[in-house]
Amino acid sequence: MNETLVQLRKELHKYPELSGEEYTTAKRITEFVKKFNPKDIITNVGGAGVAVVYEFDNGGPTVVIRCELDALPIQEANTFEHKSKNSGVSHKCGHDGHMTIVAGLVTWLTNATCKQGKVVLLFQPAEETGKGAAKVLEDTRLTNFKPDYVFALHNLPGFKKHTISVKSGYFTATVQSMSINLKGKKAHASEPENGVNPALTVAELIQVLSSFVQPNSQCKDFALLTPIYVNLGEKNYGISAEDAELHYTIRTWSGEVMTELVGKIKKAVNDIADQYRLTFDMEWFEFFPASKNNKECVALVEKVAKQQNLELVENPSSLKFGEDFGWFSQHYKSAIIGLGAGENQPALHHSNYDFPDELIASGIQMFKGLITEILGK
């Protein structure tokens, strides 16, 4: 294993930064890659993003390999030497490992003998909030490269280490988060009839929204509505509650099903709030479009995995989590790949998760194979 890359991964893990604040992380990446003679390093792409460019002769296609810079607002539970030094922030999705894999490609690209084309290594900010990819795609310094292919990977706990998961069509879900804020009328707790208490509205809304769930992920109308946060009234026992707040995340495969579901939710909130004489407002945020893998890209991934003797997971299911790579799949031929992180690895976003360093080599192996297959030797 390349110890330099392991050290880089642990350094990135030690100093995590939240979405939109990843400028020190980007600087660490820039300092690492500049020693390997890229044609260009473009900074501040869509925020803190970095694009590292290698160019070969004879025109040819442009391949973008994308990873993520940001960490999560989670206090790390691990006690190892490279634990997070930033209180309340840690790499619990493996973005430190994804960055290391993509940065590790420079050690090969600096001497690579591809026949043609360009490689752009893209370190994208703000994936966890769903905002980063969209902002990156507004930056003409990247879009002027006119990417022909865009690839990314995500480590997957629960899958055998180094296995490759890929499928055509939806690979990650369309995800939308929302809040419902209800406003009634305060009254003395002994005279609730003189106020408008939102408790029954909250109870009915939770039940009605649960009726919209279609838990079978094999169905095209799959829909998951997960309650995230509920708050009602205040801890004052002489007051009948006036305000309430509910937060949900909603998951579907297609954008069309999401649009239909959002309409049903809005109607239910309007009808129930009206029934109980409440006013309300709703907010919608953290939208992740589904990552829809291109058939040609999937075929390339499967071919390269076999060439590299990496085990393919047979008939993988689509993944229910959100990934803002979906913005790329709306514009370019693309595929996001799952890389098995181990059956007993702590789950993503858990406080004791840590990216397995053994995956660095297999991730690099996969991307090297794709670049070589597309650009030629």
Side-chain angles (χ1 to χ4, degrees):
M1 189 185 299
N2 187 319
E3 284 305 315
T4 303
L5 294 180
V6 172
Q7 285 175 11
L8 173 65
R9 204 282 296 179
K10 290 181 176 177
E11 188 78 1
L12 293 167
H13 189 93
K14 263 189 199 179
Y15 301 102
E17 294 175 293
L18 294 174
S19 304
E21 301 173 7
E22 314 95 326
Y23 291 94
T24 303
T25 302
K27 187 176 180 183
R28 289 182 200 281
I29 293 295
T30 302
E31 289 299 312
F32 181 85
V33 301
K34 72 180 185 182
K35 298 173 283 189
F36 295 91
N37 307 311
K39 177 179 172 57
D40 198 7
I41 299 175
I42 306 167
T43 57
N44 301 318
V45 179
V50 179
V52 182
V53 184
Y54 286 86
E55 191 169 332
F56 302 98
D57 295 331
N58 308 317
T62 296
V63 180
V64 175
I65 308 292
R66 170 270 199 182
C67 62
E68 320 93 315
L69 290 165
D70 54 340
L72 286 156
I74 296 172
Q75 181 66 38
E76 178 147 51
N78 296 313
T79 57
F80 43 54
E81 192 177 340
H82 63 277
K83 70 180 180 182
S84 171
K85 289 185 175 293
N86 296 339
S87 180
V89 184
S90 55
H91 275 294
K92 294 299 160 190
C93 209
H95 294 180
D96 51 338
H98 301 169
M99 282 187 274
T100 303
I101 288 167
V102 176
L105 288 167
V106 300
T107 63
W108 168 69
L109 284 165
T110 191
N111 297 310
T113 55
C114 294
K115 191 192 302 183
Q116 59 178 352
K118 292 186 186 71
V119 176
V120 180
L121 307 178
L122 175 61
F123 299 82
Q124 178 210 301
E127 186 279 326
E128 293 289 354
T129 59
K131 295 177 180 178
K135 286 188 177 178
V136 163
L137 287 167
E138 292 170 2
D139 194 317
T140 55
R141 294 175 300 164
L142 180 76
T143 55
N144 283 345
F145 284 116
K146 296 181 170 59
D148 295 279
Y149 301 91
V150 185
F151 293 98
L153 62 72
H154 207 294
N155 78 98
L156 297 180
F159 289 78
K160 182 180 171 185
K161 276 184 185 171
H162 311 295
T163 53
I164 300 298
S165 306
V166 71
K167 68 184 289 292
S168 294
Y170 299 116
F171 195 53
T172 65
T174 300
V175 181
Q176 174 75 74
S177 295
M178 68 154 184
S179 65
I180 305 164
N181 296 284
L182 299 162
K183 183 79 172 177
K185 182 181 175 184
K186 194 176 290 185
H188 195 284
S190 66
E191 299 173 330
E193 68 276 10
N194 293 333
V196 180
N197 191 313
L200 289 176
T201 308
V202 170
E204 191 164 333
L205 268 176
I206 290 171
Q207 291 188 72
V208 169
L209 295 187
S210 72
S211 74
F212 297 158
V213 172
Q214 168 46 275
N216 187 348
S217 61
Q218 304 304 312
C219 292
K220 67 178 182 179
D221 60 346
F222 160 75
L224 198 60
L225 290 85
T226 306
I228 301 298
Y229 172 81
V230 179
N231 188 39
L232 173 72
E234 56 187 280
K235 292 179 181 177
N236 185 327
Y237 300 96
I239 295 175
S240 176
E242 176 180 34
D243 302 320
E245 185 179 355
L246 294 84
H247 290 239
Y248 277 78
T249 63
I250 314 159
R251 296 163 199 271
T252 64
W253 295 135
S254 75
E256 292 79 12
V257 172
M258 177 62 77
T259 299
E260 182 182 330
L261 183 57
V262 165
K264 287 170 67 177
I265 292 168
K266 286 179 177 178
K267 184 177 186 307
V269 173
N270 185 74
D271 290 351
I272 296 168
D274 185 59
Q275 177 189 341
Y276 289 99
R277 300 180 295 120
L278 291 155
T279 58
F280 71 92
D281 64 73
M282 300 179 71
E283 290 184 49
W284 303 85
F285 42 87
E286 293 197 5
F287 177 71
F288 296 80
S291 297
K292 195 170 184 180
N293 283 348
N294 170 271
K295 284 183 180 179
E296 181 188 345
C297 292
V298 169
L300 283 164
V301 169
E302 291 174 341
K303 181 179 181 181
V304 167
K306 289 172 185 173
Q307 288 172 346
Q308 300 295 326
N309 295 316
L310 292 167
E311 182 182 341
L312 281 162
V313 175
E314 293 293 326
N315 304 314
S317 298
S318 301
L319 303 167
K320 296 178 188 176
F321 61 68
E323 230 295 351
D324 81 349
F325 188 78
W327 292 110
F328 292 101
S329 70
Q330 290 184 356
H331 293 86
Y332 304 111
K333 287 193 288 190
S334 64
I336 184 165
I337 307 161
L339 178 61
E343 292 99 327
N344 299 316
Q345 172 72 5
L348 300 174
H349 293 209
H350 279 215
S351 60
N352 64 339
Y353 168 91
D354 187 40
F355 182 88
D357 288 322
E358 313 93 281
L359 303 187
I360 296 170
S362 47
I364 290 173
Q365 190 181 352
M366 192 69 223
F367 284 142
K368 275 172 61 175
L370 284 166
I371 291 166
T372 303
E373 187 65 29
I374 294 165
L375 301 188
K377 294 181 181 178

